[in-house]
Each structure stands twice: as C-alpha cells, then as structure tokens.
Amino acid sequence: MCYKFCIWQRIAHIGRVFNKYKLLRMLPIDAEKRISFKRCISDGDLVIVYERHDNMKAVKVCEGSTLQNRFGVFKHSDWIGKPFGSKVLSNKGGFVYLLAPTPELWTLVLSHRTQILYIADISLVIMYLEIIPGCLVLESGTGSGSLTTSLARAVAPNGHVYTFDFHEQRAASAREDFEKIGLSSFVTVGVRDIQGEGFPDEFSGLADSVFLDLPQPWLAIPSAGKMLKEDGVLCSFSPCIEQVQRSSETLTSNFTDIRTFEVLLRTYEVREGKMDCSQGNEGGFLGPRPGKRRQRSGEASNEGEIPTSTTVMARPAAEARGHTGFLTFARLKCLSLRGGTSPLPPLHL
C-alpha cells in the first residue's frame, strides 16, 4: 500500500511540475516582475566593470563620478545611454566592459560577509531542489546572499524566496544588496534564529524547497520538515563530514532518498603555445619531448633548426578550487510512511 501510494505521489508531483511549466508558457509575464536589464545604462544603475576574468567590481553609475584604475580614468557620464556589454575607453585609451549584474557575476564580486557558495555548488542545489518558476523557497542563513540571488532568479516571475539570518546587521546588508541588483520583489529577508526557533509557522506545509546553511543543521531539520509540501526537498550545506553524519541521522526519521555530494571543480586554461612540428599532436607536449637534452645556444647542430608551429593547447589551471563543503539532499517521506493518512487514492498496478 505504501509503495503504491509513493508511486502515485511521484506521478502527481510530475503532473504538477508539467502543469506549472505549461501555465508559465501560456500566461503573459508581468513586465514589472520580470528579471531583465534595460538595454541602456542609466544614472543610478549597478554595473559590473570587467577588466579581465579574475578582476571585476560592482560600480553604481553616478553622473559626474569617475572610475580610476590601471587603464586610466573612466567618466560615468560616458557610460550613460550605452547598452550593457559595451566596451568603454579611458582618457589613456585603455578599456573595460560594462556588464549586467547577473547572479553569476554578482557571486564573483559581492562583499564576503561569510563563506559563500560558488557557481558549481549553486548549480547542483537549484537542480536537486527542483526549483522552477513559481516555487516558494525557504533559506537559512542568508550570509552574503550568493545563493539567494540565484534562487530568486530561478523562482521568478511569480515565486518567492524567504531567507533568514540570526545576525541583524548581516540581514540588513543583504537586503540592501538585493535592492541594488533588482531582486527585492522576489526576496524577503528576515532576522530569526532558525536553529533555536525554527521557521515561522505561517509557512507550514507551503514550501517547495528548504535550504540550510547552519553550524548545527540537525536542530532545524524537524522544523524544515513541517514547512515542506508533500514530496518537498531539503538541502543542507556543511563544511565538515561530522555535520553531515549527524544531519543524516536526523533526516532518517521523516526523510528519504538521502544523498550527499562534494563538488570539486577543475578549470582548464586554453591558450596558444609553440610545438615542434616533428612531434605532430602526439601527447600534446609543448617544446621538445621529455628526456631529450635541449640544444644549448651557440652549440653546433647537424640537424639544423627544428621547425615550430603555433597551436591551441589546453592544460589544467595552476590553482584549482578545492573543498568548499558537502551538500546533503533529502526528500520528505510519504504521509503513509510517517504514520499519516493518505490524501490520494492508491494506485492500482
């Protein structure tokens, strides 16, 4: 009976997701709630000034202000009226690009008030929490707001993210950031100790997903279970495996499909380099083969110069981002498995 009910519940969940997608495609989106950037930059807008892939900063455009860096002096008045993505010149002829503050770029330039989640972890969180437009998501704690910006875009235009942090000043700073990047209509920031008090009762049974980034997430898991809808998903981020073990023990009472991931990202550098023509593409070596003595300058050679050619090579970056944390996901159990009554008829197979 329980097995049949769980299958029925999963089919019903897939149907709800399908209908939600179909509804979004049929209905016009409210222009005031759409996350989009105007084609042209205006006075007061926030832009991401791109110098190179590892050097960007967020700048508020103000008429009469200037930006000074190693490439020269840039007047904000020259930026106004230009579309996002424009290349602008300094008084010395140097240039930068003016980019829109997307969640991906904001994660790279925001002020680190706490440890943040990066793009690799964020991508996995949004996929495994099954977040789509229209979802209601609960988050604790807010921290620097890196994940929150991506959650807000994922639930737009008619969903909402309620995020909580016990630190009042940190919550206020996050609220200001969401206002700057135009996400305040999708995010509500609250001050609350979720570990000690749990989530507000007003969200009981309404949340599609819950995300926890807490020192002792096992204390908040019972409250998170009460907030979730049937078949809702929870994710807990923890830097230490001991936290994962204790959280998993707590999850077994009301959750199923418990799994933990560690995302390790390896970046490759793609650039031009010189390679001996005699080697072809064998092994992809740069320069002479390993084990052969290099020709000293001025030393006589009977073979003459070895011709070289320029080719595009790929190799791992010198610095790789290591461990950030563990992501533990779990799905709320069926009511029948928790001793409740079935709200849906059994599926006859």
Side-chain angles (χ1 to χ4, degrees), residues 16-271:
R16 289 194 300 270
V17 172
F18 175 77
N19 288 333
K20 194 176 292 185
Y21 270 123
K22 185 168 67 173
L23 183 65
L24 284 170
R25 293 182 64 181
M26 293 172 59
L27 294 178
I29 298 176
D30 182 2
E32 294 183 358
K33 286 194 171 184
R34 182 184 300 176
I35 295 183
S36 62
F37 301 100
K38 292 172 290 186
R39 296 186 66 86
C40 296
I41 299 170
S42 303
D43 187 18
D45 283 349
L46 186 76
V47 300
I48 306 298
V49 177
Y50 177 99
E51 296 182 13
R52 47 175 290 166
H53 72 279
D54 58 353
N55 193 353
M56 292 177 279
K57 65 175 65 176
V59 176
K60 184 177 180 180
V61 179
C62 297
E63 181 77 38
S65 297
T66 59
L67 170 70
Q68 186 171 354
N69 59 20
R70 55 181 176 159
F71 301 116
V73 177
F74 297 85
K75 294 181 179 179
H76 288 200
S77 57
D78 295 338
W79 301 355
I80 298 174
K82 292 185 180 295
F84 281 103
S86 295
K87 176 181 177 180
V88 293
L89 302 177
S90 71
N91 61 332
K92 295 181 179 179
F95 64 88
V96 295
Y97 292 95
L98 306 178
L99 306 180
T102 63
E104 291 80 7
L105 293 177
W106 183 250
T107 290
L108 300 177
V109 302
L110 57 78
S111 300
H112 287 206
R113 296 179 287 272
T114 59
Q115 177 189 359
I116 71 168
L117 267 70
Y118 288 94
I119 294 172
D121 287 329
I122 292 173
S123 303
L124 197 72
V125 167
I126 290 178
M127 181 171 184
Y128 271 89
L129 285 184
E130 301 174 358
I131 298 175
I132 62 173
C135 281
L136 189 154
V137 180
L138 301 181
E139 179 193 22
S140 181
T142 310
S144 301
S146 173
L147 173 65
T148 317
T149 57
S150 292
L151 294 176
R153 185 178 62 181
V155 303
N158 51 357
H160 205 84
V161 178
Y162 294 90
T163 180
F164 300 91
D165 201 293
F166 76 94
H167 195 280
E168 189 170 350
Q169 182 56 48
R170 206 153 54 206
S173 299
R175 199 178 291 115
E176 292 175 4
D177 287 346
F178 300 144
E179 184 70 34
K180 287 179 186 176
I181 57 180
L183 294 177
S184 56
S185 59
F186 306 101
V187 181
T188 299
V189 183
V191 179
R192 187 179 178 92
D193 178 13
I194 300 299
Q195 283 189 174
E197 304 175 54
F199 289 98
D201 293 336
E202 63 188 276
F203 299 112
S204 181
L206 299 178
D208 295 282
S209 308
V210 174
F211 180 83
L212 302 175
D213 184 359
L214 301 169
Q216 298 175 297
W218 53 89
L219 297 178
I221 287 173
S223 174
K226 295 176 182 177
M227 302 300 113
L228 285 168
K229 295 178 181 177
E230 284 297 316
D231 207 36
V233 187
L234 174 145
C235 176
S236 175
F237 175 85
S238 298
C240 303
I241 195 63
E242 291 80 9
Q243 294 169 304
V244 173
Q245 292 170 338
R246 188 159 180 184
S247 297
S248 298
E249 291 175 1
T250 306
L251 286 168
T252 54
S253 59
N254 288 322
F255 289 82
T256 185
D257 194 20
I258 303 169
R259 58 181 77 184
T260 297
F261 299 92
E262 181 186 26
V263 183
L264 301 177
L265 186 66
R266 188 180 190 186
T267 305
Y268 274 74
E269 296 175 349
V270 180
R271 60 180 61 183

Side-chain angles (χ1 to χ4, degrees), residues 294-324:
R294 291 195 176 193
Q295 187 84 23
R296 293 181 182 176
S297 59
E299 189 173 274
S301 172
N302 294 328
E303 299 179 2
E305 292 187 5
I306 300 175
T308 60
S309 64
T310 301
T311 186
V312 176
M313 311 292 289
R315 63 179 182 182
E319 295 182 4
R321 189 178 300 280
H323 171 78
T324 56

